[in-house]
Amino acid sequence: SIGNIGGFTIGESSIESATGQLTLKANGQLTGSAIQLSGSIKSQDGEIGGWTIGNSTLSSTNITIDSSNEEITLGSKTSLTDNNTGLYLSTDGIALGEDSVFKVTDAGVLKAESGTIGGFTLSANALTATNFSLDPSNKRITLGNTSTDNVFIVDATNGIQLGHNTFASAPFSVTKAGALKSTSGTIGGFTISDSS
């Protein structure tokens, strides 16, 4: 129960190197400052080099590998829907950042609040490119340059307008009720002017 063997000290419940850098305990823990292992290791509880071994998990500070739930967590994420301060990988998807600002589900549903996609810039409430804006929060599509009034706008609140950034000032517009405004043109052989 006590003694020395090959530079190791035998205790009642452990075997420890003379320098104390490597310890094998009867409870299944193997600890040391530098450990190199080869072969097969099976454990349901213990520690290796700062990693804690659980029944189906391997974890360290802010890192967890969970084989039973098929997930890897870097940070505090515990599921695809909970608040996240790191990276979460699992069979149900990927989540990254605080409150999962970037998320991809296993069904391919993507959530992102900024970035670029195929030449478009993504913000929290809009998708924009040169002379193009898709604004779902304001239910509005804009084509053209709004600063020069060379613009076409489809707006779920006002209707359709062409030629001016303001609906009331646009030379051509159609309201949601179908009221048409046109300052010039022809209809059925008749010429339209400003007042006749």
Coordinates of all heavy atoms in Angstrom, one line a residue, residues 60-106:
S60 N -14.3 22.2 -20.5 CA -13.3 23.0 -19.9 C -13.9 24.4 -19.8 O -15.1 24.6 -20.0 CB -12.0 23.1 -20.8 OG -11.0 23.8 -20.1
T61 N -13.1 25.4 -19.4 CA -13.7 26.7 -19.2 C -14.3 27.2 -20.5 O -13.6 27.4 -21.6 CB -12.6 27.7 -18.8 OG1 -12.0 27.2 -17.6 CG2 -13.2 29.1 -18.5
N62 N -15.6 27.4 -20.6 CA -16.4 27.9 -21.7 C -16.3 27.0 -23.0 O -16.6 27.5 -24.1 CB -16.0 29.3 -22.1 CG -16.3 30.3 -21.0 OD1 -17.3 30.2 -20.4 ND2 -15.5 31.3 -20.8
I63 N -15.9 25.8 -22.8 CA -16.0 24.8 -23.9 C -16.6 23.5 -23.5 O -16.2 23.0 -22.4 CB -14.5 24.5 -24.5 CG1 -13.8 25.8 -24.9 CG2 -14.6 23.5 -25.6 CD1 -12.4 25.6 -25.3
T64 N -17.6 23.1 -24.2 CA -18.3 21.8 -23.9 C -18.5 21.0 -25.1 O -19.0 21.5 -26.1 CB -19.7 22.1 -23.2 OG1 -19.4 22.9 -22.0 CG2 -20.3 20.7 -22.8
I65 N -18.2 19.7 -25.1 CA -18.5 18.8 -26.1 C -19.4 17.7 -25.5 O -19.1 17.0 -24.6 CB -17.2 18.1 -26.7 CG1 -16.2 19.1 -27.2 CG2 -17.5 17.0 -27.7 CD1 -14.9 18.6 -27.6
D66 N -20.6 17.7 -26.1 CA -21.7 16.8 -25.5 C -22.1 15.8 -26.5 O -22.8 16.1 -27.5 CB -22.9 17.6 -25.1 CG -23.9 16.8 -24.3 OD1 -24.0 15.6 -24.5 OD2 -24.7 17.4 -23.6
S67 N -21.6 14.5 -26.4 CA -21.9 13.5 -27.4 C -23.4 13.0 -27.3 O -23.9 12.7 -28.4 CB -21.0 12.3 -27.2 OG -21.2 11.7 -25.9
S68 N -24.0 13.0 -26.2 CA -25.4 12.6 -26.1 C -26.4 13.5 -26.8 O -27.3 13.1 -27.5 CB -25.9 12.4 -24.7 OG -25.9 13.6 -24.0
N69 N -26.1 14.8 -26.8 CA -26.9 15.8 -27.4 C -26.4 16.2 -28.8 O -26.9 17.1 -29.5 CB -27.1 17.1 -26.6 CG -27.9 16.8 -25.3 OD1 -28.9 16.0 -25.4 ND2 -27.5 17.3 -24.2
E70 N -25.2 15.7 -29.2 CA -24.5 16.0 -30.4 C -24.3 17.5 -30.6 O -24.8 18.0 -31.6 CB -25.3 15.4 -31.6 CG -25.5 13.9 -31.5 CD -26.3 13.3 -32.6 OE1 -27.2 14.0 -33.1 OE2 -26.1 12.2 -33.0
E71 N -23.6 18.1 -29.6 CA -23.4 19.5 -29.7 C -22.1 19.9 -29.2 O -21.5 19.2 -28.3 CB -24.5 20.3 -29.0 CG -24.6 20.0 -27.5 CD -25.9 20.6 -26.9 OE1 -26.9 20.8 -27.6 OE2 -25.8 20.9 -25.7
I72 N -21.5 21.0 -29.7 CA -20.3 21.6 -29.2 C -20.6 23.1 -28.9 O -21.2 23.8 -29.7 CB -19.2 21.6 -30.3 CG1 -18.9 20.1 -30.7 CG2 -17.9 22.3 -29.8 CD1 -18.0 20.0 -31.9
T73 N -20.2 23.5 -27.7 CA -20.5 24.9 -27.3 C -19.2 25.6 -26.9 O -18.4 25.0 -26.2 CB -21.4 24.9 -26.0 OG1 -22.6 24.2 -26.4 CG2 -21.7 26.3 -25.6
L74 N -19.0 26.8 -27.5 CA -17.9 27.7 -27.1 C -18.5 28.9 -26.5 O -19.0 29.7 -27.2 CB -17.0 28.0 -28.2 CG -16.0 27.0 -28.7 CD1 -16.7 25.8 -29.4 CD2 -14.9 27.6 -29.6
G75 N -18.6 29.1 -25.2 CA -19.3 30.2 -24.6 C -20.4 29.6 -23.7 O -20.3 28.5 -23.1
S76 N -21.5 30.4 -23.6 CA -22.5 30.0 -22.6 C -23.8 29.5 -23.3 O -24.8 29.3 -22.7 CB -22.9 31.2 -21.8 OG -23.5 32.2 -22.6
K77 N -23.7 29.1 -24.6 CA -24.9 28.7 -25.3 C -25.3 27.3 -24.9 O -24.5 26.4 -24.7 CB -24.6 28.6 -26.8 CG -25.8 28.4 -27.7 CD -26.5 29.7 -27.9 CE -27.7 29.4 -28.8 NZ -29.0 29.5 -28.1
T78 N -26.7 27.1 -24.6 CA -27.2 25.8 -24.2 C -28.2 25.2 -25.2 O -28.5 24.1 -25.1 CB -27.8 25.9 -22.8 OG1 -28.8 26.8 -22.8 CG2 -26.8 26.3 -21.8
S79 N -28.7 26.0 -26.1 CA -29.6 25.5 -27.1 C -29.7 26.6 -28.3 O -29.1 27.7 -28.2 CB -31.0 25.3 -26.6 OG -31.7 26.5 -26.4
L80 N -30.4 26.2 -29.3 CA -30.4 27.1 -30.5 C -31.3 28.4 -30.2 O -31.1 29.4 -30.9 CB -31.0 26.4 -31.7 CG -30.7 27.0 -33.1 CD1 -29.2 27.1 -33.4 CD2 -31.4 26.2 -34.2
T81 N -32.1 28.3 -29.2 CA -33.0 29.4 -29.0 C -32.6 30.3 -27.8 O -33.1 31.4 -27.6 CB -34.5 28.9 -28.7 OG1 -34.4 28.0 -27.7 CG2 -35.0 28.3 -30.0
D82 N -31.8 29.8 -26.9 CA -31.4 30.5 -25.7 C -30.4 31.7 -26.1 O -29.8 31.7 -27.2 CB -30.7 29.6 -24.7 CG -31.7 28.7 -24.1 OD1 -32.9 28.9 -24.2 OD2 -31.2 27.7 -23.4
N83 N -30.2 32.6 -25.1 CA -29.2 33.6 -25.3 C -27.8 33.0 -25.5 O -27.5 32.0 -24.9 CB -29.2 34.6 -24.1 CG -30.4 35.5 -24.1 OD1 -31.1 35.6 -25.1 ND2 -30.7 36.0 -23.0
N84 N -27.0 33.6 -26.3 CA -25.7 33.0 -26.6 C -24.6 34.1 -26.5 O -24.8 35.2 -26.8 CB -25.8 32.5 -28.1 CG -24.5 31.9 -28.5 OD1 -23.7 31.4 -27.7 ND2 -24.2 31.9 -29.8
T85 N -23.5 33.7 -25.9 CA -22.3 34.6 -25.9 C -21.1 34.0 -26.6 O -20.0 34.4 -26.3 CB -22.0 35.0 -24.4 OG1 -21.7 33.8 -23.7 CG2 -23.1 35.8 -23.8
G86 N -21.4 33.0 -27.4 CA -20.3 32.4 -28.1 C -20.7 31.6 -29.3 O -21.5 32.2 -30.1
L87 N -20.3 30.4 -29.5 CA -20.6 29.6 -30.7 C -21.2 28.3 -30.2 O -20.8 27.7 -29.3 CB -19.3 29.3 -31.5 CG -19.4 28.3 -32.6 CD1 -20.3 28.9 -33.7 CD2 -18.0 28.0 -33.2
Y88 N -22.3 27.9 -30.9 CA -23.0 26.7 -30.6 C -23.2 25.9 -31.9 O -23.7 26.4 -32.9 CB -24.4 27.1 -30.0 CG -25.4 25.9 -29.9 CD1 -25.3 25.0 -28.8 CD2 -26.4 25.7 -30.8 CE1 -26.2 24.0 -28.7 CE2 -27.3 24.7 -30.7 CZ -27.2 23.8 -29.6 OH -28.1 22.8 -29.5
L89 N -22.7 24.7 -31.9 CA -22.9 23.8 -33.1 C -23.6 22.5 -32.7 O -23.2 21.9 -31.7 CB -21.5 23.4 -33.6 CG -20.5 24.5 -34.0 CD1 -19.1 23.9 -34.2 CD2 -20.9 25.2 -35.2
S90 N -24.6 22.2 -33.4 CA -25.4 21.0 -33.1 C -26.1 20.5 -34.3 O -26.1 21.1 -35.3 CB -26.4 21.3 -31.9 OG -27.1 20.1 -31.6
T91 N -26.8 19.4 -34.1 CA -27.6 18.8 -35.3 C -28.8 19.7 -35.6 O -29.3 19.6 -36.6 CB -28.0 17.4 -35.0 OG1 -28.7 17.4 -33.7 CG2 -26.8 16.4 -34.9
D92 N -29.2 20.5 -34.6 CA -30.3 21.4 -34.9 C -29.9 22.7 -35.5 O -30.7 23.5 -35.9 CB -31.2 21.7 -33.6 CG -30.4 22.3 -32.5 OD1 -29.2 22.4 -32.6 OD2 -31.0 22.7 -31.5
G93 N -28.6 23.0 -35.6 CA -28.2 24.2 -36.3 C -26.9 24.8 -35.7 O -26.2 24.2 -34.9
I94 N -26.7 26.1 -36.1 CA -25.5 26.8 -35.6 C -26.0 28.2 -35.1 O -26.8 28.8 -35.8 CB -24.5 27.1 -36.8 CG1 -24.0 25.8 -37.4 CG2 -23.3 27.9 -36.4 CD1 -23.3 25.9 -38.7
A95 N -25.5 28.6 -34.0 CA -25.8 30.0 -33.5 C -24.5 30.6 -33.1 O -23.6 30.0 -32.5 CB -26.7 29.9 -32.3
L96 N -24.4 32.0 -33.3 CA -23.2 32.7 -33.0 C -23.5 34.1 -32.5 O -24.4 34.7 -33.1 CB -22.3 32.8 -34.2 CG -21.0 33.6 -34.1 CD1 -20.0 32.9 -33.1 CD2 -20.3 33.7 -35.5
G97 N -22.9 34.5 -31.5 CA -23.0 35.9 -31.0 C -24.1 36.1 -29.9 O -24.9 35.2 -29.7
E98 N -24.1 37.2 -29.3 CA -25.1 37.5 -28.3 C -26.5 37.5 -28.8 O -26.8 38.1 -29.9 CB -24.8 38.9 -27.6 CG -25.6 39.2 -26.4 CD -25.2 40.4 -25.7 OE1 -24.1 41.0 -26.1 OE2 -25.9 40.8 -24.8
D99 N -27.4 36.8 -28.2 CA -28.8 36.7 -28.6 C -28.9 36.0 -30.0 O -29.8 36.3 -30.7 CB -29.6 38.0 -28.6 CG -29.7 38.6 -27.2 OD1 -29.8 37.8 -26.3 OD2 -29.6 39.8 -27.1
S100 N -27.9 35.2 -30.3 CA -27.9 34.5 -31.6 C -28.1 35.4 -32.8 O -29.0 35.2 -33.6 CB -29.0 33.4 -31.6 OG -28.7 32.5 -30.5
V101 N -27.3 36.5 -32.9 CA -27.4 37.4 -34.0 C -27.2 36.7 -35.4 O -27.7 37.2 -36.4 CB -26.5 38.7 -33.8 CG1 -26.9 39.5 -32.7 CG2 -25.1 38.2 -33.7
F102 N -26.4 35.6 -35.3 CA -26.3 34.8 -36.6 C -26.7 33.4 -36.2 O -26.3 32.8 -35.2 CB -24.8 34.8 -37.0 CG -24.6 33.9 -38.2 CD1 -24.9 34.3 -39.5 CD2 -24.2 32.6 -38.1 CE1 -24.8 33.5 -40.6 CE2 -24.0 31.8 -39.1 CZ -24.3 32.2 -40.4
K103 N -27.7 32.9 -37.0 CA -28.2 31.6 -36.7 C -28.6 30.9 -38.0 O -29.1 31.5 -38.9 CB -29.4 31.7 -35.8 CG -30.0 30.4 -35.4 CD -31.0 30.5 -34.3 CE -32.2 31.3 -34.7 NZ -33.3 31.3 -33.7
V104 N -28.3 29.6 -38.1 CA -28.7 28.8 -39.2 C -29.3 27.5 -38.6 O -28.6 26.8 -37.9 CB -27.6 28.4 -40.2 CG1 -28.1 27.6 -41.3 CG2 -26.8 29.6 -40.7
T105 N -30.6 27.2 -38.9 CA -31.2 26.0 -38.4 C -30.9 24.8 -39.3 O -30.5 25.0 -40.4 CB -32.8 26.2 -38.3 OG1 -33.3 26.3 -39.6 CG2 -33.1 27.5 -37.5
D106 N -31.3 23.7 -38.8 CA -31.0 22.4 -39.7 C -31.9 22.4 -40.9 O -31.7 21.7 -41.8 CB -31.2 21.2 -38.8 CG -32.6 21.1 -38.2 OD1 -33.4 22.1 -38.2 OD2 -32.9 20.0 -37.6

